[in-house]
Amino acid sequence: MDASEEIKMAKILVTGSTGFIGKRLVYQLLEQGHEVYALSRIRGIEPKIAGRSRLHVIFGDLRDLAGMEPIPEDIEAAYYLVHSMASVVDNLLEEERKTAQNFVSLIEKTGCKQSIYLGGIIEDDIHLSPHLRSRLAVEEVLKNSKVNATILRASIIIGSGSASFEIIRDLVEKLPVMTTPRWIHSRCHPIGVRDVLFYLTGVLLNPLCYGKTFDIGGPEEMSFKEALQRYAKLRKLKRLILDIPLLTPRLSSYWLVLVTSVPFSICKHLVESMRQNTRKLNTSIDAVLPHVCISYEEAIRLAFQKIAQNEVVSTWADAWDLKTVNADTENFIRVPQEGCFKEVRTVKIKVPIEEVQRRIWSIGGAQGWYSMNWTWKVRGLIDQLIGGKGLNRGRRDPHKLVVGDAVDFWRVILADEKKRHLILYAEMKLPGEAWLEFQIDETAKTLKQTATFRPKGVWGRIYWYVSFVFHLIIFKNMAKAIAT
């Protein structure tokens, strides 16, 4: 068996497999013939890849190995794609270091030959943001392990669903005049997501990459301001950009939250990192893996092509915040009955049942919520201002839903098309837990819509009673609009 055949049959562990890069990497590795073991923190939220017999899901959280399912001893390589950007972590450095150490302790017990890590480009390791400092700490943990480590450092990634792309798109599309902070002049090498995947798979089990650190970036260096201007030119939009250097990183983060679909936690980390240059100065990857990366404009065109064709595989919103969600989704796929407030609507269906199901499966995002959309937008804005998800993250696909998808500030935890049953779990900031459930009864030709709220303490009960009148009107009109 030659080297290429050996790599083709490799058994690969992918951590962070449900994230923006991880999910796409799993697809690509399977297409290349590998056997993939995808680590998922959420039980019941499995990558939906039909007919992929070589995909195996392992459940566990690297932050706590107590409930970790066993990893096969004969894995040959492992990707480390875990990060804590989806939530604001006070001790980010220690959190990231501990998680990486747990990862190392697992793979060192196997026959793993290589660990592969995707981080951010670091030009100046003295004046680092907390985010980049934590990324560097992860690198050190992997390098000091017994397993050969390959480190890929990327500049901003452009692709359908990436946080960087969403920020650029929202800023340019929504604001004819922009007031921008000092970090607008930071230099970078934007890289398309397809090129990131090329490098991630290209270094796999490549002895020339063992123990090496590589920068990866697109073919052109530019400032973030130029990135905005070139996006505007491509989209044929006239935009005026005014620099205001007095804006602090925190104020910049709040400003981005109000304008873009990206939540405060991610904006905060990105802004801190954007203050520093992320240029591809280390070009050693070009000798090992010669490759011509696509241009910035081409990466944008491809992103819009995927969006237009509803082929967005993954987005930044795919990451779950396990501080607010039970890691075992099977525990709450059945909506609780005890200690809950409920608002139930049963409406006679007066249109074809298939049309009602289409409306339910298209809820949220650009479609909206069928009733008093302005109130949903106000609630989403309030949620963003207090550090929640808000409505702006939308949906991955305008008509299809699978378990794990984000729908504005909800998460899909059950999407049974055959039984015509959909359950959404609230990820907004609440003094309690909330579910929104839709069930179609074909025999009775009725739609049952149930809003369930399980309050947490006195404030939870006060919240329910204060908002009860609004819920009464909104949910009544929503059920009627969907079914008639």
Side-chain angles (χ1 to χ4, degrees), residues 10-18 22-40 45-59 69 72 313:
K11 291 186 176 181
I12 313 298
L13 172 68
V14 179
T15 66
S17 62
T18 57
K23 190 179 294 185
R24 298 180 188 224
L25 179 63
V26 167
Y27 273 68
Q28 190 141 325
L29 291 172
L30 290 170
E31 289 176 358
Q32 293 177 356
H34 298 291
E35 189 139 356
V36 178
Y37 292 82
L39 181 64
S40 175
I45 308 301
E46 302 182 21
K48 303 297 179 180
I49 306 175
R52 301 287 191 171
S53 60
R54 287 177 284 103
L55 174 63
H56 313 277
V57 181
I58 299 172
F59 297 106
E69 293 185 351
V313 175

Side-chain angles (χ1 to χ4, degrees), residues 96 237 250 383 449:
E96 293 280 70
L237 298 170
R250 178 167 288 274
D383 194 55
Q449 173 190 285

Side-chain angles (χ1 to χ4, degrees), residues 280-298:
K280 178 187 171 183
L281 300 181
N282 173 3
T283 60
S284 57
I285 190 73
D286 298 334
V288 180
L289 293 172
H291 176 66
V292 179
C293 293
I294 60 176
S295 68
Y296 174 67
E297 281 78 6
E298 184 60 23

Side-chain angles (χ1 to χ4, degrees), residues 144-396:
N144 292 329
S145 74
K146 299 176 183 178
V147 179
N148 297 306
T150 300
I151 310 298
L152 295 178
R153 294 175 169 181
S155 188
I156 63 174
I157 299 174
I158 303 299
S160 54
S162 79
S164 300
F165 172 74
E166 295 287 348
I167 287 175
I168 292 171
R169 182 179 69 168
D170 287 342
L171 286 175
V172 178
E173 299 281 353
K174 295 178 181 179
L175 299 177
V177 179
M178 283 176 263
T179 54
T180 56
R182 186 180 304 163
W183 50 257
I184 200 74
H185 299 292
S186 297
R187 311 293 293 180
C188 60
H189 272 95
I191 182 171
V193 66
R194 64 163 52 184
D195 293 318
V196 174
L197 293 172
F198 166 82
Y199 288 120
L200 281 170
T201 55
V203 300
L204 176 62
L205 295 174
N206 185 337
L208 295 176
C209 300
Y210 291 175
K212 300 292 180 62
T213 298
F214 302 107
D215 288 354
I216 58 174
E220 301 165 285
E221 179 188 326
M222 66 187 75
S223 67
F224 196 76
K225 183 176 183 178
E226 289 176 80
L228 295 174
Q229 291 170 331
R230 290 172 67 163
Y231 178 100
K233 183 178 180 181
L234 179 65
R235 297 285 287 167
K236 298 180 180 179
L237 298 170
K238 292 184 179 181
R239 294 294 182 259
L240 178 62
I241 301 177
L242 303 174
D243 298 353
I244 300 183
L246 297 179
L247 279 177
T248 65
R250 178 167 288 274
L251 287 176
S252 298
S253 302
Y254 283 124
W255 172 67
L256 287 178
V257 164
L258 293 175
V259 177
T260 75
S261 59
V262 182
F264 175 75
S265 57
I266 295 180
C267 283
K268 178 176 180 290
H269 294 312
L270 287 177
V271 165
E272 289 173 343
S273 300
M274 284 175 183
R275 295 168 64 193
Q276 296 167 302
N277 296 327
T278 56
R279 297 172 294 177
K280 178 187 171 183
L281 300 181
N282 173 3
T283 60
S284 57
I285 190 73
D286 298 334
V288 180
L289 293 172
H291 176 66
V292 179
C293 293
I294 60 176
S295 68
Y296 174 67
E297 281 78 6
E298 184 60 23
I300 293 173
R301 290 192 191 96
L302 286 173
F304 274 103
Q305 181 180 322
K306 293 294 184 183
I307 293 169
Q309 296 172 354
N310 297 328
E311 294 179 353
V312 180
V313 175
S314 60
T315 77
W316 57 265
D318 290 338
W320 287 53
D321 184 356
L322 289 186
K323 292 185 176 180
T324 59
V325 177
N326 188 327
D328 191 345
T329 60
E330 293 174 352
N331 288 340
F332 62 88
I333 284 179
R334 290 188 177 182
V335 179
Q337 304 298 319
E338 301 298 326
C340 296
F341 295 111
K342 289 183 179 288
E343 209 289 322
V344 182
R345 293 285 163 183
T346 302
V347 183
K348 197 73 175 178
I349 293 174
K350 297 184 179 180
V351 295
I353 286 178
E354 288 71 20
E355 171 62 16
V356 176
Q357 182 162 339
R358 186 198 67 79
R359 293 176 184 177
I360 294 172
W361 254 250
S362 302
I363 203 166
Q367 169 61 57
W369 293 84
Y370 299 108
S371 171
M372 300 175 69
N373 269 322
W374 67 270
T375 61
W376 289 88
K377 291 178 180 178
V378 170
R379 181 63 179 88
L381 178 59
I382 294 172
D383 194 55
Q384 280 186 286
L385 291 175
I386 60 176
K389 308 293 183 181
L391 285 186
N392 290 338
R393 68 181 181 175
R395 307 170 41 120
R396 178 185 57 84

